[in-house]
Amino acid sequence: MLRRLYDWTLSLAAGPRAPHALSAVAFAESSVFPLPPDLLLIPMCVSKRHRAWFYAGLCTIASVLGGLLGYLIGAVLFEEVAKPILAFYGYMDKFDQFAQIFDDWGWWFVFIAGLTPFPYKVITIASGVFALNLPVFIVASIISRGIRFFVVAGLLYLFGPAIRDFIEKRLALVFTVFVVLLLGGFALIKFI
């Protein structure tokens, strides 16, 4: 079953609409969608190695734009929904304390979430909720998402055939590690 899914993903990644799908997934993942764009970026870079840099750039741009949507969601929904509830229960003081921490360290929150398996969408929405300085948010997002996607593309470009052979021979292992990292990122949310 994994082999068929892998082959289907590679054929999708090699198709003419692959850049559109990659953009849509990268955009949605930054604000609402649970699956990372690496699911398409990796097979696309493996399938068309000469376009790896283009795909990384496209993924970065779409991800940052999706992050801006996440920021907007946090900013708009907080004022309308969460703030009155916090005020009613007397938690605005605690919220204001955490907002100060987020304001002081927000760049690092965004940067680390952009690089790691931690769900980036959580931080994009939190950045809007805590009104993180928008230029700081954008710069941290561009740098971290760019590093993440360009490192993936660069490794696949440099070691393309070897990486493809490794993935194809150890598909179950690669899939398991990917799922563990993805679930681990969501598990971190509960501890933070």
Side-chain angles (χ1 to χ4, degrees):
M1 183 169 107
L2 279 177
R3 171 59 59 188
R4 282 193 304 240
L5 181 61
Y6 175 75
D7 290 340
W8 176 80
T9 304
L10 277 181
S11 69
L12 175 66
R17 296 243 180 242
H20 300 292
L22 177 63
S23 297
V25 169
F27 180 87
E29 182 268 340
S30 295
S31 53
V32 294
F33 193 62
L35 299 176
D38 305 73
L39 291 173
L40 279 177
L41 178 64
I42 292 170
M44 287 173 68
C45 290
V46 167
S47 179
K48 293 184 179 176
R49 202 167 124 205
H50 64 283
R51 300 208 54 182
W53 308 117
F54 170 74
Y55 295 145
L58 186 64
C59 203
T60 301
I61 292 167
S63 182
V64 172
L65 291 174
L68 288 170
L69 175 62
Y71 187 101
L72 180 66
I73 289 169
V76 171
L77 292 180
F78 175 76
E79 287 295 323
E80 295 174 348
V81 178
K83 192 172 183 179
I85 293 170
L86 289 171
F88 177 77
Y89 287 106
Y91 289 128
M92 279 308 295
D93 291 340
K94 291 179 183 175
F95 176 82
D96 290 338
Q97 289 171 352
F98 188 74
Q100 183 58 49
I101 291 169
F102 199 89
D103 192 46
D104 293 342
W105 295 91
W107 190 93
W108 289 105
F109 284 121
V110 174
F111 184 77
I112 290 168
L115 285 175
T116 65
F118 186 86
Y120 178 61
K121 70 192 80 13
V122 171
I123 297 300
T124 66
I125 293 169
S127 295
V129 167
F130 296 119
L132 180 66
N133 180 291
L134 190 58
V136 168
F137 172 80
I138 293 170
V139 169
S141 294
I142 291 170
I143 292 170
S144 64
R145 297 310 263 183
I147 289 171
R148 176 178 171 177
F149 298 132
F150 276 93
V151 165
V152 168
L155 290 172
L156 292 168
Y157 181 81
L158 293 173
F159 304 108
I163 296 264
R164 184 176 188 155
D165 290 343
F166 177 83
I167 290 171
E168 289 179 355
K169 289 179 184 173
R170 294 166 188 87
L171 186 58
L173 173 66
V174 170
F175 181 75
T176 302
V177 168
F178 181 77
V179 168
V180 166
L181 288 173
L182 180 66
L183 294 176
F186 283 107
L188 279 174
I189 293 173
K190 291 185 180 187
F191 296 109
I192 293 180

